[in-house]
Amino acid sequence: MKQSTTPSVLDSVRELIPEIAAAAAAVDRQRAVHPEMIARLQDTGYFALLRPQGFESEGDPDDYLTATRELSSACMSTGWLAGWLAMNSWGLSVRNERVQQDIWGDEPRTLLCSSYAPTGRLESVDGGFLLSGRWVRCTGARHATWLSAAALRVGSDGAAQDFMAVLVPQADYVIEPTWNGLGMRGIGADDVVISGVFVPEHRAFSWLNFDPNAATKLLDRLPQPTLYTLAGTIPLLGAAQRVLAERVPDSSAPLDPFAMARTDIELSMLQIRRNLADLMDRVRAGGYPDAELVLRARRDQVMACERAVAAIRTVVHNPGPHADHALLERIWRDVQTAQRHVSSNVEQVLSVAGRFAMGLNVDDLIW
């Protein structure tokens, strides 16, 4: 089935928003997004927005962020789940060309789940590696048919020799139903377990030897933190917009806190768009963004998380007489869970930004 072209993706996603919003409470109760909704999002072309060219689409990342924010405004579980399933298609064109054919050659609607904590172990054998490990909180594991995960390659002495990413088909791993989050109950972030599975050499990729200049696709030349960290932030902004839209402004107050909160969210979205545009300009020109730009984008992204949570807190603390308390309670739980993601670690990021501003060496720029 041919995917929608990029200009129509947003419109197609928006047609589903009322239905997604109406189902949000059921998603929370049942702890699952219905597979039919994932299939319908497939039909819109949403999951192909970040996919490498040659496999249906390589869209504008701003379309991906806008669609994900609006999905999250309707239902944070659906937005977070869909956002990460779409995100996991990004960056694969820097791998061996056979990898893309393995994943999408026979089934262009294939989705991937992921975990990039290096909790796997790779041992070299003829033609590839033996992989064992457990990866926790793999969002959307039951909607995906491939796993993209991090692992350490170890030598005969057991010492780590490389930090690698591997791709494994569903037949080679077991999903253990462990997700029981207080919020975002429908994302299905279950554990994935692998024991002694053979991974051919072309499906393993060394991050230590990665040269960003070798990326042939435009989006894959973006620094690795860029879209991954935004995928953890955009749902928070969508949730903030939802609760602020529900709160009637207080025109009698000399300083309306809800108007200020709306301004903070608008500021964050403008900063994110500016930074993404600057990053895209650098890669379009054939270069690679410098540390100052990458860190500015990361700083503004993590501050967007802080502003979103603060805006939602403002409404929760003063919901007004006509508030939908069930909606506020669900979104507040979702936000408490979402901000535990590594992308929201504001203290760590601002510490790095401070060191960089003072001219000190920064060797942990990415996370």
Side-chain angles (χ1 to χ4, degrees):
M1 177 176 179
K2 183 176 176 57
Q3 298 280 10
S4 304
T5 58
T6 301
S8 69
V9 170
L10 279 176
D11 289 340
S12 298
V13 169
R14 284 168 176 157
E15 290 179 2
L16 298 177
I17 294 297
E19 188 174 345
I20 290 171
V27 166
D28 187 65
R29 287 194 307 273
Q30 297 165 9
R31 294 184 174 271
V33 175
H34 200 285
E36 181 184 347
M37 183 54 67
I38 299 300
R40 292 173 68 184
L41 282 169
Q42 282 272 25
D43 293 339
T44 69
Y46 169 79
F47 291 119
L49 283 172
L50 303 179
R51 193 171 296 168
Q53 287 178 339
F55 290 88
E56 303 300 338
S57 176
E58 184 183 54
D60 185 334
D62 191 63
D63 287 345
Y64 161 77
L65 296 176
T66 300
T68 305
R69 175 170 49 81
E70 295 188 17
L71 287 169
S72 301
S73 179
C75 172
M76 202 166 171
S77 279
T78 303
W80 185 277
L81 168 63
W84 282 104
L85 289 174
M87 173 57 59
N88 294 329
S89 295
W90 177 53
L92 294 190
S93 75
V94 302
R95 315 280 183 96
N96 188 301
E97 290 184 6
R98 290 173 60 189
V99 163
Q100 298 174 62
Q101 192 63 38
D102 287 350
I103 296 172
W104 294 301
D106 294 330
E107 179 46 78
R109 292 164 69 98
T110 295
L111 298 175
L112 299 91
C113 60
S114 69
S115 176
Y116 290 109
T119 53
R121 175 187 176 96
L122 285 165
E123 299 178 30
S124 296
V125 295
D126 288 344
F129 305 92
L130 288 181
L131 173 67
S132 296
R134 173 186 289 269
W135 293 265
V136 301
R137 295 186 291 278
C138 298
T139 295
R142 296 185 184 279
H143 296 282
T145 52
W146 281 77
L147 168 72
S148 179
L152 296 177
R153 179 169 65 85
V154 299
S156 57
D157 60 354
Q161 297 180 333
D162 201 351
F163 176 53
M164 307 189 76
V166 292
L167 290 155
V168 184
Q170 187 181 53
D172 288 343
Y173 58 81
V174 175
I175 300 171
E176 294 192 355
T178 56
W179 179 246
N180 190 29
L182 174 67
M184 298 201 300
R185 291 175 172 175
I187 66 174
D190 292 326
D191 289 5
V192 171
V193 181
I194 294 176
S195 180
V197 163
F198 175 72
V199 177
E201 187 173 0
H202 74 276
R203 291 185 191 158
F205 175 80
S206 170
W207 283 118
L208 297 183
N209 297 322
F210 173 55
D211 177 7
N213 294 311
T216 59
K217 308 301 183 185
L218 184 64
L219 291 185
D220 292 346
R221 291 181 59 83
L222 288 172
Q224 284 300 311
T226 305
L227 294 182
Y228 283 119
T229 54
L230 285 175
T233 299
I234 292 299
L236 289 167
L237 292 172
Q241 287 185 309
R242 175 67 181 276
V243 299
L244 288 168
E246 297 286 329
R247 184 60 168 91
V248 178
D250 185 358
S251 59
S252 65
L255 190 62
D256 184 359
F258 309 109
M260 294 183 66
R262 290 186 183 89
T263 299
D264 282 345
I265 301 305
E266 291 173 5
L267 171 64
S268 290
M269 291 192 296
L270 287 171
Q271 287 178 325
I272 287 170
R273 284 199 171 100
R274 176 200 65 176
N275 293 335
L276 187 56
D278 288 348
L279 289 162
M280 291 295 292
D281 285 345
R282 297 285 177 89
V283 299
R284 285 192 184 99
Y288 190 76
D290 58 22
E292 182 176 6
L293 176 54
V294 173
L295 190 52
R296 186 187 82 193
R298 183 74 166 101
R299 178 203 66 196
D300 292 345
Q301 167 267 317
V302 81
M303 288 306 301
C305 297
E306 287 287 287
R307 294 187 187 113
V309 175
I312 296 167
R313 185 184 299 113
T314 298
V315 178
V316 169
H317 286 180
N318 184 10
H322 306 295
D324 182 339
H325 292 282
L327 172 68
L328 286 178
E329 183 265 341
R330 184 177 71 247
I331 290 179
W332 186 242
R333 285 190 287 103
D334 289 344
V335 166
Q336 300 311 302
T337 301
Q339 69 172 343
R340 294 171 62 86
H341 192 265
V342 65
S343 61
S344 297
N345 193 333
V346 64
E347 291 184 5
Q348 181 186 39
V349 174
L350 294 188
S351 173
V352 175
R355 296 204 309 273
F356 183 82
M358 295 178 67
L360 300 178
N361 182 51
V362 173
D363 58 4
D364 50 355
L365 180 64
I366 290 182
W367 301 112

